[in-house]
Amino acid sequence: MSTGSASVRERLVGRYGWIVDQLRFLAGDRLALGGAVVIALFGFLGLFGPLLAPHDPVAYSARTASGSIAVLDAPNLDSWFGTTAFGKDVFSQFLAGARPTLIVGLVGGIGTGVIGFLVGLTSGYFGGYVDELLMRLTDLTFSLPLTPMALLLLTFVRPNVWLIALIIMLFLWKMPARVVRSEVLAVKNRTFVRSARASGAGHLRTMFYHIAPNVLATGFLYTAYGIAWSISLQASLAFLGFGDPTATSWGRMLRQVFASGAIRVAWWWVLPPAIGIAAVTTSVFLIGRRYEERINPEIQSSQ
Amino acid sequence: MSDFQRFLVKRTAIAAVLTLVAISVIFVILRLLPGSPFETLITTGNLTPEQAQEIIAAYGLNEPILQQYIKYVENLLTFQFGYSIRRSQPVWAILGPRLLNTLLLLIPALITTAVLSSLLGMYAGWNRGSITEKLSIVVTTFLRSTPVFITAIFLLIVFGYQLGLVPTFGMRSLTASPDGLIETYLSVDFLHHYVLPFTVAVLFYSGDFLLLARNGVVEKKGSAFLKLHEAKGLTEVEQLLRAGRNSLLPIITYFALRLGMVFQGLILLEVVFAWPGIGRLLVVAIRQQDYPLIQAAVFIMALAVIVMNLVADSLYEYLDPTVSTTGGGT
């Protein structure tokens, strides 16, 4: 992909065309398209949610007509999604809560994809001792139980969103690493790779110019799955009380409604964050499935 | 020595080393944790500093770190887990019943879902493009991607709080004081508490089995050996069973891997339903910094995964020798 001579405008059109292509591909499957819409909404919330929130999610307290704090109000005109057991506006918390969810999802997911891709590529390409060493390392991360280890680590450092993202990627890179490795093994003995080596291409050049493009699709797919896993894990940790104590996140909202006992009555406090998390993770997997079918056409759902 | 035996020896050795490394990682993390459970006991006035010194000595925490480490490894490998700091009870006495509760909940759930959703998956794969197939894919995608505590909360609200059909808390009624295993686990009360967590666990595990079975059948459907069977005049069901048998290998190995993870419990499921299992115990132990309890729980979890990984790898190698041990990777 040489864009050296292309003008900025052509490049923009090229990029725009790429997005249109992707959307057209996703539109071929109603579920994947629905997923894309949900993800776009979620991204929008992550970027602008805290700005759109009508009230401060933590500081503001809703008041009743008589001036006392409105505790556990059902949805009404003042607070569209009702209020919490502490008189906070659920709608504002929901809008603000998308951001930490998005940050951990993106950072954790992309980190997972990049580390896994590089490890898989190196391991598959060099083979031998390098492969043995890296694969035993993935075995180790497989054998350390993820949630318990994350809980342990989060007790000795004050949790924040970046740290949680880091812990997630430290444990999840093993997934793409194994799959990418097995694909590299299939690609590396093909003729064009051999001839590149024979004509004097160095290791790095062969790895990144000749092999990597052929396994890139899998790398992207697992990055997407990594995002879903990260969101899910972040929400789980927050629900257990090991999340960032300063951030309003969907997982933390669920923890509060559960811990306060209000879960018995306050469905309006439970549903927004619960549906938010479920919708986003499911959407990522529906889109991922569409791409998986492209990579492996044999499993397509419509003939 | 046959190839398989050599494979087995190598893999077992690797598993042993992994176990040791995992134990060491746990040790290091626990030593790095700031504060100690004793500090809280001293500051709350439950222990005088002198008593604390005595107890620290009794736990061997004043010895050189290397000596502590060797003792720790020895103890774990011989399943001598020692005494809980916060509960003044042997760790096994606390851990054993919790582990049993977790296994009683999750192993039946895993077996149920492995059988049912694999069959459903095969059916879906055989009837490509059908409503059953599309619906099953959407539903299981939802169930496997959504964190388990959210599914649990949804069902808890509907069946527990709104419809009031099942209890929402614990494994037995608060008033129940059963004696012995049979009274604890063989009762209507237990079953009543069991049904919802069991259902959520089945739903949570279902997705992967269904997709594995479906993809297996779909991949086999166009292949030559099935055309032969068709030509021989086998019925659809007979063909499906043959295609299914051929996609059983990934399902079996996946089952083994999942079985290894069962020992960690579905921590979040146990927390939502207040199920007295090992996952929920671990969360409490971490909050209380009860080292011996944490060590033992995490060790059991890691060991189970390592052993079942070994079993899964060996099964794969044994049942399908064409998959090379170094080439497959997945």
Side-chain angles (χ1 to χ4, degrees):
Chain A
M1 254 202 338
S2 155
T3 47
S5 59
S7 71
V8 174
R9 191 177 171 177
E10 275 171 342
R11 252 190 270 177
L12 275 180
V13 170
R15 199 161 295 167
Y16 180 68
W18 181 79
I19 293 175
V20 171
D21 280 349
Q22 298 305 308
L23 284 179
R24 203 169 286 154
F25 172 69
L26 287 177
D29 181 75
R30 245 180 299 164
L31 291 170
L33 188 67
V37 172
V38 172
I39 300 290
L41 263 172
F42 173 61
F44 179 78
L45 277 188
L47 286 174
F48 302 110
L51 305 174
L52 294 173
H55 304 290
D56 186 299
V58 181
Y60 169 84
S61 296
R63 303 269 169 185
T64 57
S66 59
S68 57
I69 291 178
V71 170
L72 289 179
D73 262 3
N76 57 59
L77 284 177
D78 282 335
S79 36
W80 293 352
F81 286 2
T83 63
T84 73
F86 316 104
K88 312 295 174 192
D89 183 36
V90 174
F91 184 60
S92 301
Q93 290 205 341
F94 174 73
L95 290 180
R99 183 172 282 177
T101 315
L102 180 76
I103 292 177
V104 175
L106 278 184
V107 177
I110 292 174
T112 298
V114 170
I115 301 176
F117 185 79
L118 292 179
V119 170
L121 188 62
T122 315
S123 184
Y125 178 75
F126 286 107
Y129 283 109
V130 176
D131 184 36
E132 191 73 17
L133 185 76
L134 289 174
M135 284 303 110
R136 293 297 82 81
L137 206 60
T138 62
D139 283 348
L140 180 67
T141 52
F142 263 109
S143 56
L144 290 171
L146 168 60
T147 322
M149 293 313 283
L151 293 180
L152 266 185
L153 288 169
L154 286 173
T155 46
F156 84 95
V157 271
R158 191 188 150 96
N160 66 56
V161 282
W162 305 103
L163 200 72
I164 292 170
L166 184 75
I167 290 178
I168 289 172
M169 66 176 96
L170 277 182
F171 277 95
L172 286 183
W173 59 268
K174 62 199 174 184
M175 309 280 206
R178 287 211 163 179
V179 183
V180 166
R181 171 184 170 272
S182 65
E183 293 201 347
V184 169
L185 287 175
V187 172
K188 78 168 178 184
N189 287 323
R190 299 239 295 265
T191 328
F192 69 93
V193 179
R194 284 169 182 273
S195 58
R197 284 292 291 151
S199 57
H203 284 307
L204 279 181
R205 197 184 159 78
T206 316
M207 271 167 73
F208 286 99
Y209 269 69
H210 300 285
I211 297 182
N214 290 288
V215 292
L216 207 56
T218 306
F220 280 135
L221 179 66
Y222 273 83
T223 305
Y225 285 164
I227 292 173
W229 291 326
S230 304
I231 289 173
S232 163
L233 200 64
Q234 187 256 4
S236 304
L237 291 172
F239 181 74
L240 289 176
F242 291 82
D244 186 336
T246 60
T248 303
S249 71
W250 290 345
R252 212 165 113 80
M253 286 174 77
L254 286 170
R255 168 174 180 78
Q256 287 176 341
V257 66
F258 188 76
S260 70
I263 191 169
R264 292 168 180 278
V265 284
W267 53 267
W268 59 86
W269 185 7
V270 181
L271 289 186
I275 291 176
I277 294 169
V280 169
T281 48
T282 305
S283 297
V284 174
F285 269 86
L286 286 174
I287 294 175
R289 208 178 151 70
R290 180 84 172 133
Y291 281 94
E292 217 168 325
E293 284 173 359
R294 181 186 257 184
I295 294 170
N296 180 7
E298 280 184 338
I299 61 164
Q300 245 164 38
S301 53
S302 42
Q303 281 165 299
Chain B
M1 217 163 40
S2 74
D3 276 354
F4 180 65
Q5 279 168 329
R6 202 170 306 135
F7 167 87
L8 215 55
V9 169
K10 188 188 163 202
R11 273 298 144 118
T12 311
I14 289 172
V17 174
L18 274 181
T19 310
L20 202 63
V21 177
I23 292 179
S24 311
V25 171
I26 300 167
F27 180 82
V28 170
I29 290 180
L30 285 175
R31 294 305 121 148
L32 285 176
L33 287 175
S36 81
F38 305 110
E39 271 171 34
T40 8
L41 286 176
I42 296 168
T43 47
T44 52
N46 285 325
L47 276 183
T48 63
E50 294 77 41
Q51 285 172 319
Q53 281 309 318
E54 261 176 52
I55 296 182
I56 286 173
Y59 278 98
L61 291 172
N62 54 352
E63 288 165 30
I65 195 91
L66 187 69
Q67 221 165 322
Q68 282 189 40
Y69 173 73
I70 292 172
K71 205 171 186 181
Y72 158 89
V73 171
E74 251 177 37
N75 286 345
L76 282 195
L77 292 181
T78 49
F79 292 88
Q80 308 282 309
F81 296 143
Y83 281 82
S84 154
I85 295 175
R86 298 298 290 262
R87 301 174 189 228
S88 50
Q89 250 185 315
V91 166
W92 258 126
I94 305 166
L95 209 56
R98 306 304 173 97
L99 193 56
L100 182 65
N101 290 342
T102 292
L103 297 182
L104 272 177
L105 174 64
L106 295 183
I107 289 185
L110 192 60
I111 294 174
T112 308
T113 202
V115 174
L116 288 183
S117 56
S118 300
L119 288 176
L120 186 63
M122 286 180 198
Y123 179 82
W126 195 256
N127 297 286
R128 269 168 95 178
S130 68
I131 300 286
T132 316
E133 195 217 13
K134 284 182 177 143
L135 200 67
S136 70
I137 287 180
V138 179
V139 172
T140 51
T141 301
F142 172 79
L143 290 171
R144 72 199 271 261
S145 54
T146 303
V148 68
F149 74 94
I150 291 193
T151 320
I153 284 178
F154 277 139
L155 294 188
L156 186 69
I157 288 180
V158 174
F159 294 103
Y161 294 126
Q162 299 302 320
L163 299 177
L165 290 176
V166 286
T168 56
F169 185 89
M171 195 179 81
R172 295 294 310 257
S173 304
L174 287 175
T175 48
S177 52
D179 271 329
L181 291 181
I182 293 173
E183 267 186 56
T184 310
Y185 298 111
L186 274 183
S187 73
V188 179
D189 182 40
F190 176 76
L191 194 69
H192 202 195
H193 284 77
Y194 188 77
V195 62
L196 200 56
F198 173 81
T199 310
V200 177
V202 167
L203 292 176
F204 178 69
Y205 288 134
S206 67
D208 292 320
F209 286 103
L210 188 132
L211 284 177
L212 273 179
R214 176 208 167 262
N215 291 351
V217 168
V218 164
E219 279 174 21
K220 300 289 177 310
K221 204 182 172 189
S223 61
F225 84 93
L226 270 188
K227 296 234 168 63
L228 174 70
H229 283 313
E230 201 178 347
K232 278 185 355 196
L234 293 187
T235 65
E236 285 255 325
V237 175
E238 284 169 322
Q239 288 178 49
L240 172 57
L241 285 179
R242 280 180 170 68
R245 199 176 57 199
N246 276 280
S247 35
L248 221 51
L249 186 57
I251 296 176
I252 293 174
T253 45
Y254 186 74
F255 181 80
L257 291 179
R258 270 289 170 198
L259 204 58
M261 291 189 225
V262 156
F263 287 79
Q264 341 179 354
L266 293 173
I267 295 180
L268 286 129
L269 182 78
E270 293 184 358
V271 168
V272 171
F273 290 110
W275 189 264
I278 190 171
R280 188 160 166 269
L281 177 74
L282 180 73
V283 173
V284 176
I286 287 179
R287 285 241 173 74
Q288 299 180 334
Q289 298 205 352
D290 196 336
Y291 291 161
L293 206 50
I294 301 174
Q295 278 166 8
V298 180
F299 171 67
I300 289 179
M301 295 170 184
L303 187 67
V305 172
I306 293 172
V307 169
M308 291 318 289
N309 266 334
L310 178 68
V311 171
D313 279 356
S314 311
L315 271 176
Y316 221 112
E317 179 75 10
Y318 183 71
L319 294 174
D320 189 359
T322 56
V323 179
S324 100
T325 54
T326 48
T330 49

